């Protein structure tokens, strides 16, 4: 509000006052949904900021002009003060959500919320072909582990990180839990 007076120049004591009321509205604030993908669940990672596509008064949000807060979200995700989302290492593959709120610092009740979706992918796992030879069929024996040339996330497989199972095979061969193959004694020559 502003109170003002007008007085006639010819008769300076001839005056009247009034109040002018001006309504100031908060700037429009919009938190837009985010969709982040390709986060490797084995190593974890960090997304871009959720603020990158949000607006205040039609312009990209300046982080100094808003307060960012977590509303709700999956426990595998952490909302950082800069708007990025951290995904912990060893997070199972899946789709995770986090709801956040931005409020204008100038008008703390001027807020908007949005959902950020993070897609966590399984680490690439590769079982490579194995070619073992020189096993004496009369006495039988054991090969090296089939896991020796296999990779998980680009690194040689640690047997503790995988489950090994037999899909199919000749009856003379036994797949052992450590990845070695047992060849029974008196196995005829062959491949």
């Amino acid at each position: 509000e502003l109170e003002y007076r007008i007085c006639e120049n010819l008769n300076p004591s001839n005056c009247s006052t009034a109040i002018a009321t001006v309504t100031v509205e908060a700037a429009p604030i919009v938190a837009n949904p985010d969709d982040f993908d390709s986060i490797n669940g084995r190593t974890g990672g960090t997304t871009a900021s959720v603020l990158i596509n949000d607006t205040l008064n039609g312009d990209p949000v300046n982080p100094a002009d808003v307060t960012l807060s977590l509303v709700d979200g999956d426990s595998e995700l952490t909302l950082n003060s800069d708007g990025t989302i951290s995904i912990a290492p060893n997070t199972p593959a899946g789709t995770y959500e986090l709801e956040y709120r931005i409020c204008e610092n100038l008008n703390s009740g001027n807020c908007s919320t949005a959902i950020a979706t993070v897609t966590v992918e399984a680490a690439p796992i590769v079982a490579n072909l194995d070619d073992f030879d020189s096993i004496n069929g009369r006495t039988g024996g054991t090969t090296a582990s089939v896991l020796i040339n296999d990779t998980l996330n680009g690194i040689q497989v640690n047997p503790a990180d995988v489950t090994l199972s037999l899909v199919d095979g000749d009856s003379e061969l036994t797949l052992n839990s450590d990845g070695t193959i047992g060849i029974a004694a008196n196995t005829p020559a062959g491949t």
Side-chain angles (χ1 to χ4, degrees), residues 70-131:
L70 175 67
V71 176
D72 191 22
D74 292 318
S75 61
E76 295 82 0
L77 306 180
T78 302
L79 180 62
N80 301 310
S81 61
D82 63 357
T84 60
I85 299 173
S86 294
I87 298 87
N90 298 315
T91 297
T95 302
Y96 299 90
E97 290 186 342
L98 180 146
E99 184 177 7
Y100 70 95
R101 175 182 291 121
I102 54 173
C103 294
E104 182 185 17
N105 291 337
L106 180 62
N107 299 293
S108 61
N110 184 25
C111 301
S112 181
T113 62
I115 302 284
T117 303
V118 179
T119 302
V120 175
E121 297 176 347
I125 187 168
V126 179
N128 288 298
L129 296 173
D130 300 284
D131 189 6

Side-chain angles (χ1 to χ4, degrees), residues 21-154:
T21 303
V22 179
T23 302
V24 177
E25 296 179 351
I29 187 169
V30 180
N32 287 299
D34 301 279
D35 191 4
F36 302 108
D37 60 3
S38 301
I39 300 295
N40 183 316
R42 188 130 200 74
T43 56
T46 303
T47 68
S49 175
V50 295
L51 300 175
I52 203 163
N53 64 342
D54 297 340
T55 60
L56 177 60
N57 205 34
D59 294 321
V61 164
N62 177 346
D65 293 337
V66 297
T67 298
L68 173 68
S69 61
L70 175 67
V71 176
D72 191 22
D74 292 318
S75 61
E76 295 82 0
L77 306 180
T78 302
L79 180 62
N80 301 310
S81 61
D82 63 357
T84 60
I85 299 173
S86 294
I87 298 87
N90 298 315
T91 297
T95 302
Y96 299 90
E97 290 186 342
L98 180 146
E99 184 177 7
Y100 70 95
R101 175 182 291 121
I102 54 173
C103 294
E104 182 185 17
N105 291 337
L106 180 62
N107 299 293
S108 61
N110 184 25
C111 301
S112 181
T113 62
I115 302 284
T117 303
V118 179
T119 302
V120 175
E121 297 176 347
I125 187 168
V126 179
N128 288 298
L129 296 173
D130 300 284
D131 189 6
F132 302 111
D133 57 7
S134 301
I135 300 292
N136 183 323
R138 170 119 356 240
T139 59
T142 304
T143 68
S145 175
V146 295
L147 300 175
I148 202 163
N149 66 341
D150 298 338
T151 61
L152 176 61
N153 209 32

